[in-house]
Amino acid sequence: MVFKYFSILLLVFFTVLVILPVYLMVKVSLSPPEDIMVQRPGFLIRNVTFRHWKDVFKSGRLWQPLKKSIIVATTTALLALLISIPGAYVISHLSRTLRYSMILSLFFTRMFPEVGIALPIAVNFIKWGLFDTNLGLTMAHLIRVLPVTAWILIGTYRTIPSDLEDAAQVDGCGRLGVLKHVVLPLALPGISVALIFSWLMSWDEFTYALYLCLREKTMPLQVYYYISRGDWFLTASYATIITIPVIFVTYILQKYLRSGYLAGAVKG
Amino acid sequence: MSFRKLKKSWLEILLITPLLIYILGFTLAPVIYAVYMSFQDKFTLHFPTLVNYKYIFTHFQFKEAFFNTCFVAGVGITLELTIGLLVALILYRNFKGRGIFRAIMLLPLGVPTVVAATNMRYIFDTSGYLNSFLLKLGVVEHAVDWAGGGIKTLMTIVVADMWKVTPLVMLILLAGLETIPEQLYEAARIDGAGAWKRFKHITLPLLKPAITMALVIRGIDIFRIFDLPLILVGRHTRVLSTYAYFEYYDYANPYTSSAGATILMVMILLTIIAYLKMTGTKEVQY
C-alpha cells in the first residue's frame, strides 16, 4: 500500500517536472517584461499580453523559415519513404544474419558525430552549388532520416505473416504484385509512422541546417538566432510557435506507434 | 532455374540499390573524407600527418571538452536509464489515469531540441526560475551562476538532456516490459518470491534486450550531443561536438575539427565494444 502511494506521488512529481519547462516557455511568451526581468520571477501568470506574439508575426522572420521548414520536411519525408520502402522490403526478406548486419550497418553510420559528417558535406555542397538550397538541406536530412525509416519499415514488414505473401504468389501474383497488393496495404500503418517520424526529424533538425544554411534559415535556426540576440520574449513566442504543430503531430504518432514496429526488426 | 533465381535477385538488387547508394555515398563517404582530412596538413595538404592531433592534444580546451563529454555521457546515461526504468515500472501497472500520465510523459518527445534548450535557459539563467525557486525556499542565499563552469554547468546539460530523452528510454523499456509474460510473475509469487526477488530474477534479465537497445541508441546520441550544449552554455563549456564546431566556426580549420570528430567516433566505438564485451550477447530464456 505504502509502495503504491509512493509510486503515484513519484509519478505526479515527474509529471510536474515534464510540464514545467514548456509551461514556463508559454508563460514567458505571454508575460510583459516587468513580470519576468526581475531577480526572482514568479511561477504564476499574472498579466497576459500578446505583444511578443504580434512582434514575431510582424518581424518578417516567420513566414520564410516556416515555408522553408515545411518544404524541406515534406520533401525529406516523401523521399525517405520512396527510397526505404523498397530497400527495407528486401532487407526484411534476407536471412537472419544478413538482416542483422544490414541493420547494424544502417546504425553504424550514426556513430560518427554529425558535426563530422556535416563538415565535408558543406565543403562539397559549396563546390556543387547545393549550399544554402532546399535540395541540399533535404539531401543532408536524408542522412539522418533514412536509417530510422528503414529500421521502422523492416520491423513493420516483419509483422506481416509470410504465409500471406506465399499464398499470393501461388495465386499467380508476381514479386512486384505481392509487394503492391499484399505487403504495402498491410504495412500502411507502419509506413504512416515512418512518414510522420521522418517529417518530425527533419522539422527538428539543427546541426546540418547550421552548416548548410546562410541566407534562408529554417525554424530551429531562427530560434537559435533569437537566442543569440538574447531576446527572451521573442525567443519564447517563436519557440512556442514551432512547438505547437510538433506536439500535435507527436500525439497522433504515438497513438499509432506499436511496440512491434520497434522490436520487429531485431526479433527472430 | 538458375536464370529465374538470378532474375529474382535482380529485382531485389534493383529495389535496394537507392538505399545502399545513399548510405554509402552520403554517409560513409563523408565519414571517410572527414577522417582523411583529420590526417591532412592545413597548409601543405600533405597526407598523412599527425599535426592536427598533436595540435588538439596540447589544446587545453580539447582536454576540457574530452572530460566534459565523458562526464555528461556517463552521468546522463545512468540517470536516464534509472529514471526511465522507474517510470516505466510505474506506468506498466494498471491504474486509473494511466493513459493520461503516459501521454504527458511523452510530451518532451514532441518538443524540438532547440526549444528544449531554450526552455532550460529560462530555468538555469542567473535570474531564472531555478534560482528564483531556491531563493524563495531559502536553500541558497545568493543566485547561483549555473553557466559559470565546472560540475554544476555540466549538470545543467545532463538535466536538459534527461528532460528531452528519458521519455524515449521509458518508451523502449515499457515496450520491453510488455513482452514479459504475466504467468512468470504469478508462478514466482506462488513460489513465495517477494517483489524485489521478482524484479531481480524475472524483470531485469528479461528486460536485457530492451535495456541494451536503449543503451546503444541513447549511448551513441549522448556522446554526440551538440545542440543542447551549444545553446545552453555555448563557448564557455565545450563538449567534443561543440569543440569540433568551434574549431571550424571560429578558426575556420576543418582539419582540426575533423580530428576532434574522429576522436569522438573512436570513443563511441570503444564504449560500445566494451559494453558488448562486458555484458556478453547471450540472451536469457525461460
Side-chain angles (χ1 to χ4, degrees):
Chain A
M1 243 1 224
V2 178
F3 188 71
K4 199 173 168 188
Y5 282 116
F6 179 69
S7 62
I8 296 288
L9 210 67
L10 208 62
L11 199 58
V12 172
F13 173 68
F14 284 132
T15 312
V16 171
L17 285 190
V18 160
I19 296 176
L20 196 66
V22 178
Y23 162 76
L24 288 177
M25 166 178 77
V26 178
K27 175 192 147 69
V28 171
S29 83
L30 291 174
S31 297
E34 309 86 84
D35 284 4
I36 307 290
M37 296 319 243
V38 290
Q39 261 303 307
R40 302 179 191 187
F43 282 81
L44 299 174
I45 299 178
R46 281 207 206 90
N47 306 297
V48 172
T49 169
F50 288 100
R51 200 165 64 198
H52 317 301
W53 283 69
K54 279 186 198 146
D55 285 347
V56 168
F57 278 98
K58 279 189 298 190
S59 67
R61 294 209 171 83
L62 180 63
W63 303 115
Q64 179 271 315
L66 185 68
K67 200 175 131 204
K68 184 172 174 114
S69 277
I70 289 177
I71 290 175
V72 170
T74 311
T75 338
T76 304
L78 292 177
L79 278 178
L81 283 192
L82 200 67
I83 296 173
S84 56
I85 283 178
Y89 179 69
V90 176
I91 296 177
S92 74
H93 281 71
L94 293 174
S95 70
R96 192 187 149 102
T97 358
L98 258 178
R99 196 172 71 239
Y100 258 123
S101 33
M102 285 300 251
I103 294 170
L104 272 182
S105 50
L106 278 179
F107 280 93
F108 175 76
T109 57
R110 283 179 66 99
M111 271 178 228
F112 203 78
E114 265 173 349
V115 283
I117 300 181
L119 178 62
I121 287 203
V123 171
N124 279 314
F125 275 14
I126 292 172
K127 279 188 228 154
W128 300 341
L130 285 168
F131 182 74
D132 205 16
T133 62
N134 287 349
L135 180 65
L137 189 59
T138 305
M139 287 168 77
H141 280 181
L142 279 176
I143 295 170
R144 79 193 298 245
V145 170
L146 271 178
V148 179
T149 47
W151 186 49
I152 294 176
L153 287 177
I154 294 168
T156 310
Y157 291 140
R158 300 276 311 154
T159 60
I160 298 171
S162 58
D163 301 355
L164 275 179
E165 290 176 50
D166 295 343
Q169 255 184 338
V170 170
D171 288 350
C173 240
R175 300 276 296 165
L176 268 182
V178 174
L179 181 60
K180 197 171 146 201
H181 298 296
V182 180
V183 176
L184 286 189
L186 285 173
L188 212 55
I191 292 176
S192 2
V193 168
L195 181 78
I196 301 173
F197 220 91
S198 44
W199 194 89
L200 277 178
M201 280 180 81
S202 170
W203 178 266
D204 290 358
E205 206 284 327
F206 178 73
T207 314
Y208 289 122
L210 187 65
Y211 274 81
L212 292 176
C213 295
L214 196 63
R215 282 167 298 129
E216 294 199 327
K217 294 185 168 68
T218 62
M219 300 278 283
L221 273 188
Q222 195 62 47
V223 175
Y224 182 54
Y225 166 79
Y226 274 126
I227 296 172
S228 321
R229 284 207 327 187
D231 191 320
W232 276 40
F233 301 97
L234 288 183
T235 313
S237 315
Y238 206 91
T240 311
I241 291 172
I242 92 166
T243 309
I244 291 168
V246 189
I247 289 188
F248 203 66
V249 173
T250 310
Y251 276 102
I252 303 174
L253 178 74
Q254 66 115 355
K255 241 177 93 181
Y256 291 103
L257 193 66
R258 295 194 193 93
S259 48
Y261 299 149
L262 301 180
V266 279
K267 261 196 312 209
Chain B
M1 199 57 204
S2 67
F3 175 70
R4 259 188 76 190
K5 224 176 182 175
L6 194 71
K7 211 172 140 194
K8 240 165 130 182
S9 13
W10 269 120
L11 179 65
E12 285 166 344
I13 291 169
L14 194 73
L15 290 177
I16 203 174
T17 305
L19 184 67
L20 286 187
I21 288 182
Y22 215 91
I23 299 288
L24 291 176
F26 274 90
T27 325
L28 225 53
V31 168
I32 293 168
Y33 189 58
V35 175
Y36 173 80
M37 276 203 295
S38 77
F39 288 106
Q40 211 174 14
D41 188 271
K42 186 185 173 187
F43 303 105
T44 61
L45 299 182
H46 175 72
F47 173 89
T49 166
L50 285 174
V51 72
N52 300 314
Y53 290 95
K54 274 184 196 144
Y55 166 80
I56 61 172
F57 280 134
T58 54
H59 209 186
F60 78 94
Q61 272 166 332
F62 173 79
K63 284 175 200 154
E64 222 178 71
F66 184 83
F67 169 77
N68 290 348
T69 305
C70 293
F71 182 90
V72 169
V75 176
I77 203 88
T78 313
L79 288 175
E80 281 160 20
L81 262 185
T82 316
I83 293 178
L85 183 60
L86 202 63
V87 178
L89 283 172
I90 296 173
L91 284 179
Y92 173 62
R93 297 146 155 262
N94 247 324
F95 60 89
K96 232 173 149 184
R98 176 184 169 211
I100 300 169
F101 277 116
R102 200 186 116 118
I104 294 174
M105 281 297 167
L106 294 181
L107 176 76
L109 282 182
V111 176
T113 316
V114 181
V115 174
T118 314
N119 297 345
M120 290 301 158
R121 275 176 74 124
Y122 296 136
I123 291 171
F124 290 116
D125 193 87
T126 324
S127 55
Y129 286 92
L130 182 60
N131 275 339
S132 172
F133 183 67
L134 293 177
L135 286 168
K136 272 172 190 160
L137 276 185
V139 180
V140 292
E141 258 173 60
H142 304 286
V144 182
D145 181 14
W146 295 103
I151 298 292
K152 64 178 187 297
T153 306
L154 294 179
M155 279 316 285
T156 64
I157 301 176
V158 170
V159 168
D161 192 60
M162 276 172 70
W163 186 82
K164 175 72 183 133
V165 302
T166 309
L168 182 67
V169 175
M170 183 209 84
L171 206 62
I172 295 173
L173 295 180
L174 200 58
L177 281 176
E178 276 159 9
T179 61
I180 300 176
E182 186 61 32
Q183 300 97 296
L184 282 179
Y185 290 108
E186 268 164 44
R189 221 172 273 134
I190 291 166
D191 289 347
W196 170 247
K197 275 204 161 159
R198 288 200 298 270
F199 175 73
K200 197 179 151 200
H201 294 294
I202 299 175
T203 312
L204 266 190
L206 284 178
L207 205 56
K208 216 182 100 184
I211 293 178
T212 304
M213 195 158 97
L215 258 180
V216 170
I217 292 178
R218 279 307 309 149
I220 292 175
D221 280 357
I222 202 168
F223 272 108
R224 308 192 310 167
I225 187 168
F226 176 68
D227 9 10
L228 278 177
L230 179 70
I231 293 169
L232 259 180
V233 290
R235 277 183 180 71
H236 309 300
T237 305
R238 297 177 189 192
V239 293
L240 279 177
S241 279
T242 50
Y243 174 83
Y245 171 70
F246 284 122
E247 277 300 306
Y248 176 62
Y249 190 82
D250 289 351
Y251 308 115
N253 192 343
Y255 304 99
T256 47
S257 176
S258 299
T262 306
I263 286 176
L264 185 51
M265 180 182 67
V266 173
M267 278 169 70
I268 294 173
L269 266 176
L270 288 181
T271 314
I272 291 178
I273 292 170
Y275 172 78
L276 292 179
K277 272 258 164 71
M278 225 164 62
T279 58
T281 42
K282 61 176 194 291
E283 281 180 34
V284 184
Q285 299 248 309
Y286 281 85

